[in-house]
């Protein structure tokens, strides 16, 4: 190459223009905001409800080590653990990000940790069902009964880009179903069998 400086500058330009293609400019504005606790999108706001009803996009394996994704995770965790509005799970669409990412509180594990799941899908479920009384951070001040599977097998990408499968039972299985619904643009109120005020 005749001019190595031009080559290096070209690489820098390509690198800069390819960065953050994971998220839209609007999503980056949310993630990079100064707020640690993000605004929760709710069904009673027409514009926010429109986004909540959209299907989320998957991550590819090359995107899951992105630092912006790690920042989103930390802000989602702070949001779901907000003492003013605590939850047991959160999905990225609930904070305005249409990507397949959820955090679930694992009541089936010691110390009930919150864990993140990338591209989670339910690949199998039990025949048996349970009636679950649910609420949602995106549907404030309401509860309702929903029929859920008693057990689910989920598949997801871990932080090492490996596809994992796990079978989950009980209340934690209900949380997974609720949060994965969010990724498909579904709210629990769409499946409600009885409303509880």
């Amino acid at each position: 190459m005749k001019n190595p400086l031009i080559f290096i500058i070209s690489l820098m330009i390509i690198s800069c223009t390819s960065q953050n293609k994971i998220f839209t400019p609007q999503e980056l504005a949310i993630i990079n905001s100064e707020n640690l606790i993000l605004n929760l999108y709710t069904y009673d706001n027409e514009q926010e409800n429109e986004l909540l009803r959209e299907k989320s996009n998957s991550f590819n394996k090359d995107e899951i080590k992105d630092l912006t994704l790690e920042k989103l995770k930390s802000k989602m965790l702070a949001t779901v653990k907000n003492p003013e509005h605590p939850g047991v799970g959160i999905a990225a669409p609930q904070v305005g990000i249409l990507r397949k990412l959820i955090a679930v509180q694992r009541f089936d594990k010691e110390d009930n940790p919150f864990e993140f799941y990338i591209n989670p899908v339910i690949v199998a479920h039990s025949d048996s069902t349970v009636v679950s009384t649910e609420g949602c951070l995106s549907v404030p001040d309401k509860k309702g009964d929903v029929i859920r599977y008693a057990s689910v097998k989920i598949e997801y990408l871990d932080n090492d880009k490996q596809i994992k499968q796990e079978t989950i039972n009980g209340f934690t299985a209900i949380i997974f179903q609720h949060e994965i619904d969010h990724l498909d643009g579904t709210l629990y109120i769409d499946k409600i069998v009885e409303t509880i005020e």
Side-chain angles (χ1 to χ4, degrees), residues 3 10 22 27-28 34 55 71 92-93 105 113 123 145 154 160 163 181 195:
N3 192 335
S10 298
I22 304 172
E27 291 172 338
L28 285 172
E34 294 181 4
K55 289 187 180 292
K71 185 185 285 189
Q105 188 166 11
V123 294
D145 287 343
I154 62 159
D160 295 319
I163 295 173
D181 274 352
T195 305

Side-chain angles (χ1 to χ4, degrees), residues 94-178:
Q94 292 181 273
V95 294
I97 311 294
L98 283 173
R99 299 309 299 261
K100 292 188 175 181
L101 175 68
I102 64 172
V104 170
Q105 188 166 11
R106 296 298 302 259
F107 288 98
D108 55 342
K109 293 186 177 182
E110 189 175 351
D111 297 327
N112 304 329
F114 274 93
E115 295 180 355
F116 279 91
Y117 299 85
I118 298 168
N119 299 343
V121 291
I122 295 169
V123 294
H125 57 76
S126 62
D127 291 331
S128 60
T129 59
V130 293
V131 175
S132 163
T133 301
E134 298 182 25
C136 181
L137 296 173
S138 292
V139 186
D141 304 320
K142 291 188 182 297
K143 288 193 182 303
D145 287 343
V146 179
I147 297 172
R148 298 287 189 188
Y149 298 112
S151 173
V152 291
K153 179 187 279 189
I154 62 159
E155 184 174 278
Y156 59 94
L157 268 180
D158 70 7
N159 283 332
D160 295 319
K161 306 180 182 182
Q162 301 299 310
I163 295 173
K164 300 280 188 178
Q165 287 192 347
E166 187 176 350
T167 299
I168 299 140
N169 304 294
F171 182 52
T172 305
I174 290 167
I175 302 171
F176 270 99
Q177 291 170 78
H178 180 112

Side-chain angles (χ1 to χ4, degrees), residues 6 16 40 44 64 145 178:
I6 292 174
C16 288
L40 282 163
D44 52 0
I64 65 174
D145 287 343
H178 180 112

Side-chain angles (χ1 to χ4, degrees), residues 1-135:
M1 172 158 296
K2 292 181 179 177
N3 192 335
L5 183 59
I6 292 174
F7 176 71
I8 291 169
I9 291 171
S10 298
L11 281 178
M12 289 173 65
I13 290 169
I14 290 168
S15 174
C16 288
T17 55
S18 65
Q19 281 183 342
N20 291 324
K21 291 288 186 181
I22 304 172
F23 301 103
T24 68
Q26 294 84 0
E27 291 172 338
L28 285 172
I30 292 169
I31 297 165
N32 292 322
S33 70
E34 294 181 4
N35 302 325
L36 178 61
I37 295 173
L38 299 174
N39 175 57
L40 282 163
Y41 280 43
T42 59
Y43 84 110
D44 52 0
N45 177 302
E46 187 176 338
Q47 188 174 1
E48 293 175 354
N49 186 54
E50 194 173 308
L51 183 139
L52 287 169
R53 298 316 191 146
E54 291 187 41
K55 289 187 180 292
S56 295
N57 300 307
S58 297
F59 290 92
N60 66 47
K61 288 187 177 184
D62 295 327
E63 294 173 332
I64 65 174
K65 290 291 189 181
D66 186 273
L67 292 178
T68 309
L69 175 57
E70 293 309 308
K71 185 185 285 189
L72 171 60
K73 285 180 180 180
S74 67
K75 291 189 172 189
M76 284 175 62
L77 187 58
T79 303
V80 75
K81 294 176 84 171
N82 179 3
E84 292 183 18
H85 306 286
V88 295
I90 192 169
Q94 292 181 273
V95 294
I97 311 294
L98 283 173
R99 299 309 299 261
K100 292 188 175 181
L101 175 68
I102 64 172
V104 170
Q105 188 166 11
R106 296 298 302 259
F107 288 98
D108 55 342
K109 293 186 177 182
E110 189 175 351
D111 297 327
N112 304 329
F114 274 93
E115 295 180 355
F116 279 91
Y117 299 85
I118 298 168
N119 299 343
V121 291
I122 295 169
V123 294
H125 57 76
S126 62
D127 291 331
S128 60
T129 59
V130 293
V131 175
S132 163
T133 301
E134 298 182 25

